[in-house]
Structures are given as structure tokens and as C-alpha cells.
Amino acid sequence: MSRWIAERGLKATRQRDLIVDTFFSASGHLSVDELLAKVQSRDENIGAATVYRTMKILSDAGLASARHFDDGQTRYEAAIGRHHHDHLICTSCHQIIEFENERIEELQDMVARHHGFQVTRHKLELYGLCKDCQGR
Amino acid sequence: MSRWIAERGLKATRQRDLIVDTFFSASGHLSVDELLAKVQSRDENIGAATVYRTMKILSDAGLASARHFDDGQTRYEAAIGRHHHDHLICTSCHQIIEFENERIEELQDMVARHHGFQVTRHKLELYGLCKDCQGR
DNA sequence: ATACCTGCAAATGTTTTGCAATGAT
DNA sequence: ATCATTGCAAAACATTTGCAGGTAT
């Protein structure tokens, strides 16, 4: 993100580097809390506000995307060179599975066109029980 | 909702009746704030907590459904005898259009089956500009 | 009479913001 | 030297909860 940072007069700091590095080293859909914990295990003096601020920058830069699942917390996932995709979310073990489906996207475009809508982003989430959680 | 209320020892009160009546008389996807305002224009002494509590009851009774769009507020819509449907949301004028698409639902089921997932509910939201807001 | 309900205010949980001190260029 | 950034604490939100008093059955 250094180019993006330089272009708008932002500064590279130890904290930002650490947060960004931690974020991209981790996998999955991290809540700010989870990320903060990982970050603080490397430098306990980093504050939550800095993590919030840094993730907002990453998100504005298009390098991370914010997701709002139904648990009331914002989660971020890496967005570098990734296709758009949607999510299956297990309501029992909270596992998140990603999927892509070209046909669904096409049908969404069709629906939007039909309503004269210009879609900029969409969200498709399927909530339920994953294979492992169905037997209890 | 009188039957549902009686069945579980809940009580019919003036406030609940007023909130429920206001909710079903209004249309669209009301936030608690919006509903509270309408309710208070009929009885200014009704508190926000009562609206929250009542909408939770309606929701548990299956008469209203809670929606969480990306604006950080819970919105409720009437759910009596309605099909499942999804939403187109204008990010400029905040208009919300509903749609149903059988093919998309089928494809979702296929995706879920493919992952061994048992889906209980899903959410499909298309964000963008509605016809009116595209010209600015 | 006995629960249940209400309104208020206080508590909660998540995210944002003001500010003085610190740090990058 | 400038101006962005940090950490902290306080503020801002949306929502929930405790409680004393009020109300439906």
C-alpha cells in the first residue's frame, strides 16, 4: 500500500506496518477485536483506535473489504486480486465458507437491470449449519 | 398477535397495541427510530425501550422480520403471509425495492448442497443507484 | 393479588473522535 | 519545521437491562 499511502500524504508508521503485516499474514474474516489481539501480541502498546483507523485506510485503498455479517461486528478480509465472492456462514461453529457462482451474478444483474438499477456492490450470505454441525 | 400473546402469558397493553398498529399501518422497512417517531406522534410518552421490546416480540412471533442492511440500524418489515424476497437498496436516496427470483433461490440451494450445508436463511442485497438517482 | 409491563436511566458493545504528545518526511 | 499519527479517554450510536412503580388478567 506504500504507493497509495504516498499519493495522499499519508505516512508509513511502525504501527501501520505491523497491523497491515499481521492482517495479511492471518487468514479468514477477522473482526477488529481478533486483529487487535494478534497485533497486541506483537506490540502490546498498540491501541484499538489505530487498528480501526488503519483498516479503514486499507479498505478505502481497496486492499481489504469490510463485511457485516449478522453478528454485529465488522470483519475484514484481504481483497488483493480477489474475485468477488459470497459466503456460507455456519450459525453453530461460525465457520465461513466462500463461494463464487457466475450464474447467480448474472441473474442479479438481470434483476437490477429490470429495475433500472445500477449496482455497485452486492451481498449474498447463506446462513445455516455446515456439514460438521448438522449431526450436532 | 393476540393468540400468540395469550399462549405465552404475555399481556396486551395500550403501548403494544399502539406500536403494533403503527407498525402495520406504515409501509416499508422501518428502523426502530422511525417507528418510534411515528409512535410518539400518537403518544409522546412511549419509550424507545418499549418499541425495541415489542418489535422483538413481533419478530419472535414471526409477524415481523428484522433486516440488517449496511447502515447499522435494524429495520423491520411486516412478515404476515409474505414470500421470501430480497432487496435492491439505493445508496443515494435510501429507497428499498423488493424482488423475488426463483432461479436465484434454486442456485443458492445448489451451492449449499454442494458444500453439504443446510441453509436456514439467506440474505441477498444489491446496493447501487436507483433509476432516479443515476442522473444525480 | 399476581405477574407482567412500562419508562427512565444506566449499562453494554462497537466504533469514532478530540486532544496533547510523538513521529515521519 | 511541518503536519500526519498515536494512544488514551471521552463521545457517539444502537440496543439492552435493572428497577421502582403501574397495569392487565
Side-chain angles (χ1 to χ4, degrees):
Chain A
M1 76 174 197
S2 29
R3 190 201 330 260
W4 198 89
I5 278 193
E7 274 171 8
R8 36 207 95 199
L10 300 179
K11 285 171 182 169
T13 65
R14 184 175 45 78
Q15 291 89 331
R16 281 181 184 167
D17 289 347
L18 207 166
I19 292 168
V20 170
D21 182 66
T22 304
F23 174 67
F24 285 113
S25 303
S27 60
H29 304 73
L30 286 178
S31 68
V32 174
D33 244 31
E34 290 163 354
L35 179 56
L36 178 63
K38 283 181 196 292
V39 164
Q40 286 185 333
S41 74
R42 296 223 249 163
D43 178 345
E44 53 177 284
N45 292 319
I46 290 188
T50 304
V51 175
Y52 277 103
R53 290 188 274 231
T54 302
M55 291 316 293
K56 175 153 289 175
I57 292 175
L58 273 190
S59 177
D60 290 345
L63 301 173
S65 22
R67 302 280 180 180
H68 301 92
F69 300 129
D70 276 358
D71 65 350
Q73 277 186 101
T74 302
R75 291 175 179 280
Y76 288 94
E77 62 178 343
I80 12 94
R82 303 206 55 194
H83 278 188
H84 171 81
H85 58 267
D86 297 301
H87 300 91
L88 280 155
I89 299 150
C90 179
T91 50
S92 171
C93 70
H94 304 105
Q95 173 189 189
I96 297 173
I97 298 173
E98 301 180 350
F99 70 89
E100 279 181 61
N101 188 299
E102 191 55 43
R103 282 292 291 134
I104 292 181
E105 310 272 315
E106 283 167 15
L107 288 167
Q108 286 176 13
D109 287 346
M110 250 181 58
V111 169
R113 218 176 303 126
H114 185 253
H115 287 273
F117 231 84
Q118 191 177 91
V119 173
T120 51
R121 71 203 160 82
H122 71 257
K123 176 195 269 197
L124 171 56
E125 292 156 16
L126 310 181
Y127 293 87
L129 294 176
C130 71
K131 205 188 293 198
D132 297 340
C133 290
Q134 284 172 41
R136 187 69 17 110
Chain B
M1 76 174 200
S2 31
R3 185 191 347 247
W4 198 89
I5 278 194
E7 275 171 6
R8 35 207 95 199
L10 300 180
K11 285 172 183 168
T13 65
R14 185 176 44 81
Q15 292 89 330
R16 282 183 183 166
D17 289 346
L18 206 167
I19 293 168
V20 170
D21 182 65
T22 304
F23 174 67
F24 285 113
S25 302
S27 61
H29 303 73
L30 288 177
S31 68
V32 174
D33 246 30
E34 291 163 353
L35 179 55
L36 178 63
K38 283 181 195 292
V39 164
Q40 287 185 335
S41 75
R42 296 224 249 162
D43 177 346
E44 54 177 282
N45 292 318
I46 290 188
T50 304
V51 175
Y52 276 104
R53 288 188 274 231
T54 303
M55 291 316 293
K56 176 152 288 179
I57 292 175
L58 272 191
S59 177
D60 290 345
L63 300 173
S65 21
R67 301 280 181 180
H68 301 92
F69 301 128
D70 276 359
D71 65 349
Q73 278 186 100
T74 302
R75 290 176 179 278
Y76 288 93
E77 62 178 345
I80 12 94
R82 303 208 54 194
H83 278 190
H84 170 80
H85 59 267
D86 297 301
H87 300 91
L88 279 155
I89 299 149
C90 179
T91 51
S92 172
C93 70
H94 305 105
Q95 173 189 188
I96 298 173
I97 298 173
E98 303 181 349
F99 70 88
E100 279 182 62
N101 188 299
E102 191 55 44
R103 282 291 291 132
I104 292 181
E105 309 273 316
E106 284 167 15
L107 288 167
Q108 286 176 13
D109 287 347
M110 251 182 58
V111 169
R113 220 175 300 126
H114 185 252
H115 287 274
F117 230 85
Q118 192 177 92
V119 173
T120 51
R121 69 203 161 82
H122 72 257
K123 176 194 271 196
L124 170 56
E125 291 155 16
L126 310 181
Y127 293 88
L129 294 177
C130 71
K131 207 188 294 197
D132 298 340
C133 290
Q134 284 171 41
R136 188 72 12 122

